[in-house]
């Protein structure tokens, strides 16, 4: 792990770093309390599709976790996102978003059932899981946060990648997922959900234009976790109320505090 | 309002009082911070069927509201409950509970669709609403808490009574409801739900033996409130996780803080 820069703003240290995974550079951010406890928990934050490691909701959540819990938080640019896009890809994404039917809030409708897109997403998910595991390996080398416990937060694409991550990663002790659904044509999704054991907070939007209510409820229902809570709010895909970030922070505080 | 007794335990004042409503004595408890702010919000707590004003979950919530928010909290014995039962009624209730098929947690199955029971519940609901309104009138006479804002917390029977209360009481600014459902044979329930405007946190148990999932989702869906959140957890009717009391307290803190 190579530190690129480090700045401190109102009690929160923000360290830009690069992680090397299989020869590829994965840019990330580690938010830390300015005066951290000797050993403290860390929450991994997976951003949504078309987003990156420092979009406002990720940055806001990272800072809240540091300020309200005294934990650390880490975000990575997902494969093909943020600094990991060529100018060509960025242009193609803009065109893709502009060309899709907009939802009620102007957000793009991404056809999740498009087979070509699903194949690409599965490849990206496998790559993202490898990178999160490499990040955990690297975090474990430092006594200040190496003993965890670790949490994971990610909705939408962050849940598409979070499901295989939580299912295969016992180092992660609690997860916030959401804006995801169980599609009948995807039996692997059900298997993954059923194999998850960590406590889960699942956030869902009742008027999500990308999935049905039934498919969202079915994903939460399929989770194998003994403790799992679903929070439903009215509104479209890009419309999760800010108080759900506060609920996420309270959830991690309850499950990860040493 | 007549004070019956007053005790203080670890920073929480507990005042037993009697409210006179239409010639009837309604026993209640007012929990207060030992050193309250000059003017502070108050949360009304409606207990469940067969419970009373000082069952563990009501007492625990009252104390949490005082300790975590610095607000006051008030519980009343509902009509035909607690101190408002004759020995004969108490005996009849015991027999009723013993005779019902027990749910997975041993809680009685109460046949909500029984027409005789529904008629009795409607009468009790009207009486309970009258009593809560009389309580608000009486609270408003004291400057320490008279300006509110007021909140309401009540699940199961507390929701059966809370729906008509919130629908007709603009002095109540936010409500936690739950363990309730919209029955097709009860169009008045839908009307009530649709006329509610206060922010609502709705708590639901996914394996509630007294109602279907669809009917529970339908009640939340019908609420006319702009802000409404549904929290779903696995488990039976009597099995709401303790962290939902913490979520309730956070909800009131967000909506009622001056």
């Amino acid at each position: 792990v190579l530190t690129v820069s480090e700045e401190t703003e109102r009690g929160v240290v923000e360290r830009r770093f690069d992680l090397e995974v299989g020869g590829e550079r994965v840019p990330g951010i580690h938010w830390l309390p300015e005066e951290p406890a000797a050993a403290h928990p860390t929450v991994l934050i997976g951003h949504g599709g078309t987003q990156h490691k420092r979009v406002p909701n990720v940055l806001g959540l990272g800072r809240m976790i540091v300020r309200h819990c005294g934990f650390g938080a880490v975000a990575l640019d997902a494969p093909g996102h943020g600094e990991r896009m060529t100018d060509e890809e960025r242009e193609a994404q803009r065109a893709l978003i502009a060309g899709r039917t907009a939802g009620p809030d102007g957000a793009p409708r991404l056809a999740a059932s498009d087979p070509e897109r699903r194949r690409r997403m599965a490849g990206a998910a496998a790559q993202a899981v490898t990178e999160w595991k490499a990040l955990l390996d690297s975090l474990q080398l430092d006594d200040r946060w190496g003993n965890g416990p670790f949490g994971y937060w990610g909705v939408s694409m962050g849940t598409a990648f979070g499901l295989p991550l939580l299912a295969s990663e016992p180092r992660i002790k609690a997860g916030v997922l959401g804006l995801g659904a169980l599609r009948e044509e995807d039996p692997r999704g059900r298997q993954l959900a059923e194999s998850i054991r960590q406590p889960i907070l699942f956030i869902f939007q009742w008027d999500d234009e990308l999935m049905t209510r039934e498919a969202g409820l079915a994903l939460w229902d399929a989770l194998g976790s003994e403790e799992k809570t679903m929070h439903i709010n009215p509104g479209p895909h890009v419309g999760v109320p800010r108080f759900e970030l506060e609920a996420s922070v309270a959830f991690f505080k309850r499950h990860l505090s040493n």
Side-chain angles (χ1 to χ4, degrees), chain A:
Chain A
V1 176
L2 180 79
T3 296
V4 177
S5 65
E6 188 169 309
E7 287 177 37
T8 301
E9 195 188 317
R10 294 194 296 136
V12 181
V13 177
E14 178 171 328
R15 188 166 67 85
R16 257 288 289 113
F17 66 86
D18 282 339
L19 180 71
E20 285 281 325
V21 185
E24 186 154 2
R25 183 180 71 96
V26 181
I29 299 177
H30 195 161
W31 292 280
L32 286 161
E34 199 173 0
E35 295 178 20
H40 62 260
T42 300
V43 177
L44 316 183
I45 307 177
H47 63 74
T50 79
Q51 300 187 329
H52 59 76
K53 65 186 172 310
R54 208 177 184 273
V55 290
N57 68 319
V58 170
L59 177 62
L61 178 62
R63 288 175 170 170
M64 274 172 80
I65 287 166
V66 172
R67 291 199 178 115
H68 297 204
C69 306
F71 299 171
V74 176
L76 298 177
D77 276 337
H81 286 73
E83 298 179 44
R84 304 172 71 185
M85 286 177 108
T86 60
D87 289 349
E88 203 169 51
E89 285 169 333
R90 208 176 307 273
E91 205 45 59
Q93 189 188 65
R94 271 201 205 103
L96 182 81
I97 291 173
R100 301 272 182 187
T101 314
D105 64 334
R109 283 180 190 272
L110 298 172
S113 54
D114 171 332
E116 160 55 22
R117 184 166 176 276
R118 277 178 49 215
R119 204 162 26 244
R120 243 186 314 121
M121 283 290 280
Q127 179 62 28
V129 168
T130 301
E131 293 168 2
W132 284 120
K133 285 173 183 283
L135 175 75
L136 286 169
D137 294 344
S138 122
L139 288 173
Q140 288 191 301
L141 300 176
D142 193 309
D143 281 346
R144 287 172 290 174
W145 46 72
N147 288 320
F150 301 101
Y152 178 83
W153 190 100
V155 299
S156 195
M157 189 181 80
T159 284
F161 297 176
L163 287 167
L165 176 62
L166 269 75
S168 66
E169 190 45 86
R171 288 178 288 184
I172 297 179
K173 302 301 183 194
V176 177
L177 302 173
L179 305 183
L182 207 59
R183 280 186 297 279
E184 277 179 38
E185 69 272 24
D186 177 21
R188 185 171 140 75
R190 172 172 292 279
Q191 278 174 10
L192 277 177
E194 287 175 349
S195 67
I196 284 175
R197 291 290 174 272
Q198 295 94 334
I200 300 292
L201 169 58
F202 189 86
I203 297 168
F204 193 72
Q205 291 288 96
W206 201 232
D207 308 298
D208 195 320
E209 66 280 12
L210 303 185
M211 59 202 76
T212 66
R213 295 168 177 180
E214 292 69 27
L217 287 161
L219 175 51
W220 173 76
D221 196 27
L223 292 170
S225 312
E226 198 177 319
E227 187 193 313
K228 54 180 183 179
T229 303
M230 183 157 177
H231 286 190
I232 310 178
N233 290 285
H237 191 74
V238 182
V240 173
R242 190 188 148 77
F243 57 75
E244 293 297 356
L245 293 187
E246 288 157 24
S248 300
V249 167
F251 172 84
F252 286 124
K253 199 169 190 174
R254 185 153 53 82
H255 285 290
L256 303 182
S257 290
N258 288 308

